[in-house]
Amino acid sequence: NAGVQLAMIEGADRTSGFLDDIAKIFRYNVKSLNRVVKIKDEIDMVRAYGNLFNVRFGDAITFEYDIDCNALGYEVPPLIVQPFVENSTIHGIGNFENGGKIKISLVKTVNGANIIIEDNGVGISEEIISKVLGGHQLESKKSGHTTGIGIYNVVQRLKLLFGTDDVIDIKSD
């Protein structure tokens, strides 16, 4: 927050916004996972995360949002959207020099809401989808990255909160 204030005093608005987004993400991430949050909080955190990518990569990655405001009040475990967005940035469109797109949608349904994360990346095989949803951690070809454990954790927390196994679907075209 001191960095945000300093950047504001110096007239560095873009730097101030960048530091403010980092602070939002940090504060959000250090809170306990053993709580529920509003979907609005998840979307706000992902917007901050997307802003960081835009600073780092410029126009190479575009984030789009299609949010049904009537579903923002539903409660979910924290940090359920960001792992999917991160996977899209790393594994889906990570090798794109430009033209990467990630769309985050929130759609109210009869029984609640669907959060949809789409990207125009390389896709994922049915075999890997099965392994990831089955809880297997897979080694990635990208140095320092693994795949599956973040999504596996999200799935387990959603199953616990909602008491059903039908909490996620992954499709690849």
Side-chain angles (χ1 to χ4, degrees):
N1 288 334
V4 171
Q5 291 175 342
L6 179 61
M8 289 173 65
I9 290 168
E10 293 178 348
D13 295 338
R14 191 167 173 206
T15 302
S16 175
F18 178 79
L19 292 172
D20 190 43
D21 286 332
I22 289 173
K24 285 177 191 171
I25 292 169
F26 180 74
R27 282 191 298 271
Y28 194 80
N29 286 340
V30 297
K31 293 179 182 175
S32 170
L33 291 178
N34 297 326
R35 63 188 168 104
V36 292
V37 298
K38 304 285 186 198
I39 290 178
K40 180 189 182 316
D41 299 329
E42 283 289 288
I43 299 299
D44 288 346
M45 207 278 296
V46 167
R47 284 185 195 270
Y49 185 82
N51 291 342
L52 297 181
F53 267 86
N54 289 141
V55 169
R56 181 173 179 196
F57 297 107
D59 294 335
I61 300 175
T62 303
F63 290 85
E64 296 178 18
Y65 299 88
D66 183 10
I67 306 299
D68 183 340
C69 294
N70 295 313
L72 289 172
Y74 287 114
E75 293 184 334
V76 295
L79 297 170
I80 61 164
V81 180
Q82 185 270 336
F84 289 99
V85 174
E86 183 174 349
N87 274 7
S88 288
T89 61
I90 294 169
H91 303 291
I93 59 176
N95 290 329
F96 284 23
E97 300 243 347
N98 58 37
K101 294 180 185 175
I102 298 174
K103 182 177 180 181
I104 296 100
S105 302
L106 175 62
V107 180
K108 186 173 180 175
T109 65
V110 174
N111 297 325
N114 288 333
I115 302 168
I116 304 162
I117 295 92
E118 300 173 271
D119 67 60
N120 66 336
V122 297
I124 183 172
S125 72
E126 288 299 321
E127 176 187 3
I128 292 177
I129 290 172
S130 295
K131 287 182 179 181
V132 168
L133 294 179
H136 301 282
Q137 184 175 351
L138 305 170
E139 290 301 319
S140 173
K141 294 177 183 164
K142 294 183 185 297
S143 177
H145 295 291
T146 57
T147 185
I149 194 68
I151 291 174
Y152 174 75
N153 287 336
V154 168
V155 170
Q156 296 310 308
R157 290 186 296 122
L158 288 170
K159 286 179 180 181
L160 283 171
L161 180 66
F162 295 113
T164 180
D165 288 340
D166 187 22
V167 295
I168 187 173
D169 189 21
I170 298 175
K171 297 178 184 174
S172 182
D173 294 330

